[in-house]
Amino acid sequence: MDNRLAHMRPDRTPAWRRLLKLARKPFDLAAPGALSPKRIRAMKSDAAGFRLLYATERVTPEVLRALQELASQTQAVGQFARMMRGEVMNEIVGHPSERRQVLHTASRNVFDDLSCKHDAAQAEAVGKAKTQLSRLKGLLAEVEQQGRFTDLVQVGIGGSDLGPRALYIALRGFWRPDRRVHFISNVDPDDAAMVLDGLDLSRTLVCVVSKSGTTLETLTNERLVADRFERAGLKPKDHFVAVTAEGSPMDDPGKYLRSFHMYDYIGGRFSATSMVGGAALGFGLGYDNFVEILRGAREMDLNALQPNIRKNLPLLAALLGIWNRNFLGHETLAILPYSQMLSRFVAHIQQLDMESNGKRVDRCGRPVKYATGPIVWGEPGTNCQHAFYQLIHQSETVVPCEFIGFRQGQLGEDLEVEGTTSQQKLLANLLAQAVALATGKRDDNPNKVFPGNRPSSLLIADRLTPRTLGALLAYYENKIAFQGFLWNINSFDQEGVQLGKVLANQFLDHFKAKGRRSEDDPTGWGLMDAAGLL
Ligand code: G6Q
C-alpha cells in the first residue's frame, strides 16, 4: 500500500477541521418549514436503479461541500480505484498483517460490455472469476439435465453464510418452483437437525463453503451432514460440492462432486457475489438470476468511481455516516428495510460493517483518535415500529436511520383496503417515520414531546429484483469500504475474532480431559467448573 496513504490522518485535514466547526450548529430539521419541498428536491441522487434522499439528514450545502473536500483530501475515490485495480489494500504497514489485495469487485467484473481496461492484477482476478462462473454454469446445466436434485443445503458460517442466505431469502419471488435452498451455519446440533429432518437426502446437494477450510463449525457440520447421508446409505461424494480457497485443507477435489475456488483477495464478508453465493443462488434462482445479481453489483461498483459525491451513492452514504458518527457524535446506526424480503439483509450488513470497521488502529498501527464504525442493527418495517421505535423517537440516544423501500412489492399480490394497497401503507409508514424523526412534535405535555432532529436517509428503488438486490449489496459493500478509506483503517482484516477462537479450543481441551483439573488454564477450568460443565 502507498505509504503516504497508510500514514494519512483524516482528522488533520482542513476538511475535517471545517466539518468540526460546521457541526457546532448543524442544520435544524425541527425548525418550522425546514423540510421544504425545495430542500427535498435538491437533496437526492440517483444511480443503479436507486434514489438516495437525504434532506432528512442534518446537512447543509456547506456541509456537503466540506464532505466533498474530505473525500478529495483523503483520496477516497482514488483508493477505491486502487482497490479495484488490485493494489494491496489489506495491510497494516510496518506490522505483520495479511498483506492482501482486495478484489471482491472482480467477481462481478465479468461483463465485457461494461469492462474498463484492466491492470494485470485485476485482469487475472477477472479471468479467475469468469472461469469459476463458467464452471458453475456447467454444474448447473448438469444438475438440470439429470433432474436429480430438488434441494441444496449450504453449510458455512459468517461470511460463508450470511450474504448468500440474505440474498436467497430476499428473492423469494424468483425462486425456482422445483427447488429449495437451506442453510446450516451454527455448530448448535439443533440447527442441522432442523434443516435435515424434512429433506429427501437422495435428492439433496450439499454445498460446503469455507474459505479457510479450517472453521470448526463448518467442518463439524460437514461431518454431521455426511454422517446422515452415510446412515441413509448415500455416498457424500455424490452429493457434496465444496467452495474453498485454493490450497486450503478442504481443497481436495477427490472428496467432492465438484470443487469451486475462491481466492485470498476476497474477504469472507465480501464474498456473496463469488462462488460462495454462486452455487446456492444459481441452484435456487437459476444461473441467469445469479448473473443479474452480479450485473446490479457491477453497476454500483462503477458508480463508486464517480468523483462527485452527489453522483456517487455509496460514497455519499459513507460521508453522511461519517458526519453522523464523527461530527454529530452518534454511536449507532439502524438499517430499516421496509420490505419483508430483506428480513436477513440487515444481519448481513451488520457483519459487513462491524467486522470491517470495528477497528481502533489505523493502517500503520497507530491508535486512531476518532470514532470508527458504528453499532449497526435493524429489522424490517413496519414490524420494528411496534418494537423499538419508541427509543428512536423519544430517548436521549439519537439513532441515525437508513430506510430502504421499494415502490412496488416483489410478489405482485396486493389488495386495496379502505382506499389504499398494503404496499402504499408500507411506504406511507416509511415516509412518516423519516418526517417524524426529523421534524419532531411540540406538545405541552412533556411526555408527548418529540424532539426531532433525528437524522435519516431514504434509499428507494422500483422493485426488489436480482439486479436491484445486487446493486443494494454493492452499495453497502462500497459504502463500508469508503468509510474505511476515509478513516484510514483496514476494513479487510478481522483480528478481533481470533482470540475467542483460540480460547474456544482450550475449552474443548477441557471437555476432552473430562474434568481433570488443568494447571495450564486455571481460569478456563474454574469457569467450566462453576458453570457445572465438568
Ligand atoms: C468474514 C469473516 C468470517 C468468515 C467466517 C467463515 O469476513 O472473516 O465471518 O467468513 O469465519 O470463515 P471460512 O469461510 O474460512 O469458514
Side-chain angles (χ1 to χ4, degrees):
M1 191 193 318
D2 183 319
N3 240 331
R4 272 168 311 173
L5 276 179
H7 283 84
M8 177 186 75
R9 291 202 191 258
D11 53 335
R12 292 196 186 161
T13 58
W16 191 282
R17 285 196 288 269
R18 173 107 195 93
L19 285 160
L20 281 176
K21 268 194 203 139
L22 291 168
R24 283 187 213 143
K25 217 173 170 300
F27 183 75
D28 184 4
L29 290 163
L35 210 50
S36 68
K38 189 171 163 227
R39 175 179 168 88
I40 294 169
R41 258 197 316 276
M43 294 196 171
K44 62 178 167 57
S45 300
D46 293 338
F50 280 91
R51 171 162 293 175
L52 180 64
L53 300 166
Y54 51 98
T56 43
E57 295 282 358
R58 301 192 70 185
V59 292
T60 57
E62 236 182 325
V63 170
L64 290 168
R65 269 196 299 280
L67 290 172
Q68 172 79 65
E69 273 158 29
L70 183 65
S72 312
Q73 287 162 17
T74 54
Q75 299 176 44
V77 175
Q79 294 197 60
F80 194 88
R82 283 166 183 254
M83 179 190 86
M84 277 182 88
R85 279 203 303 269
E87 270 192 35
V88 171
M89 299 301 277
N90 171 1
E91 182 181 12
I92 303 291
V93 170
H95 297 271
S97 65
E98 289 184 333
R99 281 214 93 246
R100 289 178 184 167
Q101 300 164 298
V102 178
L103 272 167
H104 52 277
T105 51
S107 62
R108 52 261 190 159
N109 188 354
V110 289
F111 305 102
D112 293 333
D113 50 330
L114 290 172
S115 292
C116 2
K117 262 181 69 197
H118 297 148
D119 287 23
Q122 188 182 21
E124 194 184 327
V126 167
K128 286 181 174 170
K130 285 184 178 171
T131 305
Q132 294 302 313
L133 199 57
S134 78
R135 295 190 60 237
L136 173 68
K137 194 175 182 182
L139 173 70
L140 293 174
E142 208 175 291
V143 166
E144 184 79 60
Q145 207 188 9
Q146 293 172 348
R148 193 153 70 95
F149 296 111
T150 53
D151 292 80
L152 181 147
V153 177
Q154 173 136 334
V155 177
I157 195 165
S160 296
D161 166 65
L162 286 161
R165 190 196 289 252
L167 299 188
Y168 178 69
I169 292 173
L171 291 174
R172 204 199 158 94
F174 296 82
W175 288 0
R176 283 186 50 142
D178 53 342
R179 295 192 181 160
R180 285 290 174 271
V181 176
H182 318 264
F183 295 87
I184 299 175
S185 55
N186 202 338
V187 76
D188 180 344
D190 293 346
D191 192 13
M194 279 193 296
V195 169
L196 296 174
D197 281 351
L199 293 178
D200 174 355
L201 296 185
S202 68
R203 312 205 66 190
T204 301
L205 264 176
V206 177
C207 181
V208 187
V209 185
S210 177
K211 179 177 164 183
S212 61
T214 60
T215 302
L216 172 86
E217 290 90 336
T218 303
L219 296 186
T220 305
N221 278 328
E222 178 181 12
R223 199 51 236 132
L224 194 145
V225 178
D227 181 64
R228 277 272 192 133
F229 273 76
E230 282 157 3
R231 281 193 279 136
L234 299 163
K235 285 196 196 122
K237 189 192 173 318
D238 298 339
H239 294 256
F240 281 41
V241 168
V243 181
T244 192
E246 237 174 346
S248 92
M250 247 177 72
D251 189 11
D252 183 359
K255 250 181 80 186
Y256 297 97
L257 182 65
R258 203 65 58 92
S259 287
F260 292 97
H261 281 147
M262 62 183 298
Y263 301 93
D264 73 354
Y265 50 70
I266 302 186
R269 54 194 174 277
F270 291 92
S271 67
T273 52
S274 74
M275 286 308 109
V276 168
L281 296 170
F283 179 86
L285 308 167
Y287 177 79
D288 292 345
N289 278 327
F290 177 60
V291 171
E292 276 293 285
I293 294 175
L294 302 184
R295 207 177 279 284
R298 173 72 177 152
E299 242 180 293
M300 198 57 95
D301 291 343
L302 290 173
N303 178 247
L305 294 169
Q306 283 279 348
N308 180 343
I309 66 164
R310 292 195 184 226
K311 294 195 173 148
N312 182 331
L313 255 56
L315 176 57
L316 179 55
L319 289 161
L320 292 170
I322 285 182
W323 171 248
N324 286 330
R325 182 80 179 102
N326 297 98
F327 300 96
L328 303 187
H330 305 314
E331 288 190 334
T332 156
L333 168 68
I335 300 178
L336 305 164
Y338 275 62
S339 161
Q340 197 57 32
M341 297 297 176
L342 293 177
S343 61
R344 288 301 290 165
F345 188 74
V346 180
H348 174 53
I349 303 307
Q350 180 181 58
Q351 178 201 31
L352 199 54
D353 201 325
M354 293 174 73
E355 201 166 71
S356 299
N357 289 342
K359 306 281 165 72
R360 53 175 285 285
V361 298
D362 70 10
R363 286 182 293 182
C364 53
R366 300 171 303 198
V368 292
K369 297 201 172 80
Y370 41 86
T372 57
I375 300 159
V376 178
W377 53 288
E379 280 286 323
T382 61
N383 293 10
C384 50
Q385 290 174 208
H386 303 265
F388 50 75
Y389 272 37
Q390 166 63 40
L391 183 149
I392 293 188
H393 282 287
Q394 280 191 317
S395 94
E396 273 303 306
T397 305
V398 173
V399 180
C401 297
E402 292 183 0
F403 294 101
I404 303 170
F406 300 91
R407 297 181 188 100
Q408 304 155 36
Q410 187 186 83
L411 301 179
E413 202 178 311
D414 205 346
L415 183 69
E416 203 172 288
V417 175
E418 307 211 345
T420 54
T421 62
S422 295
Q423 187 65 23
Q424 286 169 334
K425 291 179 179 80
L426 184 67
L427 290 169
N429 272 280
L430 183 164
L431 301 173
Q433 294 301 330
V435 174
L437 288 167
T439 58
K441 179 177 142 301
R442 294 187 185 161
D443 204 293
D444 292 338
N445 179 343
N447 198 33
K448 292 183 188 287
V449 169
F450 287 68
N453 269 320
R454 295 174 179 227
S456 70
S457 64
L458 284 66
L459 188 65
I460 311 281
D462 276 342
R463 183 167 168 252
L464 189 60
T465 61
R467 188 150 179 166
T468 47
L469 182 63
L472 182 64
L473 173 76
Y475 168 87
Y476 274 104
E477 288 181 355
N478 299 344
K479 172 196 165 192
I480 290 160
F482 272 129
Q483 290 191 327
F485 297 146
L486 285 150
W487 282 320
N488 187 24
I489 55 174
N490 182 3
S491 302
F492 307 108
D493 67 0
Q494 54 283 320
E495 291 299 332
V497 303
Q498 299 307 338
L499 180 59
K501 280 192 202 170
V502 172
L503 294 182
N505 279 323
Q506 285 181 23
F507 280 103
L508 287 176
D509 289 341
H510 295 317
F511 273 113
K512 285 184 204 153
K514 301 208 177 3
R516 264 179 289 116
R517 188 185 176 87
S518 164
E519 299 307 332
D520 293 349
D521 177 23
T523 307
W525 189 87
L527 198 55
M528 283 189 72
D529 191 25
L533 290 168
L534 288 175

